[in-house]
Amino acid sequence: MLLKFHASWIGFAFVLAGMHVAVAIAETPARDPQASHQWRGFQNVGHPAVAADELPTVWTPTSGIAWRASIEGYGQSTPISGHEQIVVTSTSGPEKDSYHLTSVAIHTGEKEWQLDFDNPSPFANTPMVSRAAPTAVATAFGFIASFEGGLVVAVDAKGNEVWRKNLVDQYGKIEARHGLAGSLEQDDENVFVWVERTDDPYLLAIDKQTGEVAWKAPGIGVTSWASPRLITVGDDHHLVCSGSGKIIGYDPKTGDRLWEFDKIANNSSCTPMPVGDGTFLIGASDGRGESASGDAAASNGLMQIKRSEDGRFSLEYVWQAEKATCTFGSPVVAGDRALFVNRTGVLYQLDLKTGQQLSALRTNAGGIWATPIVAGEVAYLFGHQGDTSVVSPRNDQELAVNRAWAAATDSTPQDNTSTAQVLYAAAAIGDYLVIRSGSHLYAIARPSKSPQ
């Protein structure tokens, strides 16, 4: 039975024939024993699948919502968790004058602390530019947040500032088409900040404890709203950055370029999604608004980092899609399948090892700007207009379509952003599925925790 609750950013949102390879599926990383409710960063630092966990499948604006929390200003980043709290970023003011880093209690949504910062790069606060789009990361000592105006801050778990870096003071003005949206990535020592600006783009590794720059490397020089992503390669990692027409792998210890790939197009928004040793899924759009090159689906697929006998690395496709494309939400792994969602909400399921298309299901989510989440045998597609489709990939069936807030009508009051009801992000945190709109968080309880 399909359970549906009807819905109503304009602007930017954000196979090689005959080849057979073994694909080892990456496991969900172990969680920090000191933080039982942990979603450490953007796309859960590359692992949006919640292994064997149960999430809610049905909710409405009046049932299943454990709590709602108002966030000062407006933001597009994903809520993260650590140290028994949820942290999110936002911005406010007509010129995005202020940035905010806010913590709320996991079980109640009550504000625990908030820090406010001046924006070093004021810019008109409109739906056409990023608004606190980069997602923060949770660290062993607290949290680190990055803002598109050129500010990076580290705080402890109680909200006390540890260090702050003004990248505009150090490296000059930041200008980028529609603003920056690249979220933070981290390893044990450093946090990685990608500033893919119009002129002189760069990538930084910053020591998480001290705030000192470990290295600075040139960016890739193309349009991108994707995020840097660490991919395991043998006993090491490569820091992979994807932008329109290019994918580049960096050594996360030194910033040296290890390889470069340019046989791709329209890959400006999706972040590489780890699959196994040296392999990742890549998503690309059908080219609307960009200069398309070749068949759009062929830029979507499974990629593998290879090392030759002389020690050099290269990147190549394991397989390429025949029809599947993405927009802003990255492709994800669901068991032995790869899931791609196109701009109209069609869910393509492909065999993870071969790329063979298994099905194409038109869902009621519509276009998605958030990356799907997989929980056990169920996938969640978060439509940007507020509808969340709950899908069974194995049965190729839409189980329910839910909303956390009422659908907009012609008489619905709008704030000055005109996009107040956009669904930007979601995270599986503790006993809740947490959904983020521009100005609110909604915690949807697991079935055993649902409010009476």
Side-chain angles (χ1 to χ4, degrees), residues 39 41 77-81 86-88 135 425-427 429 434-436 441:
W39 186 275
S77 61
T78 304
I80 66 166
S81 67
I86 296 174
V87 165
V88 70
T135 296
I429 298 176
V434 180
I435 291 176
R436 194 244 167 96
L441 297 179

Side-chain angles (χ1 to χ4, degrees), residues 318-338:
V318 176
W319 51 257
Q320 294 163 275
E322 295 182 358
K323 294 182 179 179
T325 59
C326 288
T327 48
F328 303 111
S330 302
V332 295
V333 175
D336 56 1
R337 304 179 180 207

Side-chain angles (χ1 to χ4, degrees), residues 195-215:
V195 180
E196 192 61 26
R197 59 184 177 183
T198 303
D199 297 316
D200 192 25
Y202 58 88
L203 185 64
L204 296 177
I206 301 176
D207 185 285
K208 293 192 293 188
Q209 296 285 344
T210 67
E212 296 299 316
V213 174
W215 52 257

Side-chain angles (χ1 to χ4, degrees), residues 10 45 119 151 184 209 226 232 257 338 398 411 423:
I10 296 176
V45 289
N119 181 357
L151 187 67
L184 298 178
Q209 296 285 344
T232 301
R257 291 193 181 193
E398 190 171 39
S411 61
L423 195 167

Side-chain angles (χ1 to χ4, degrees), residues 112-149:
E112 298 198 336
W113 49 262
Q114 178 176 312
L115 298 180
D116 308 313
F117 309 95
D118 292 336
N119 181 357
S121 304
F123 197 88
N125 191 348
T126 78
M128 297 301 294
V129 299
S130 58
R131 290 177 283 179
T135 296
V137 292
T139 69
F141 63 82
F143 306 92
I144 301 176
S146 173
F147 298 94
E148 68 270 17

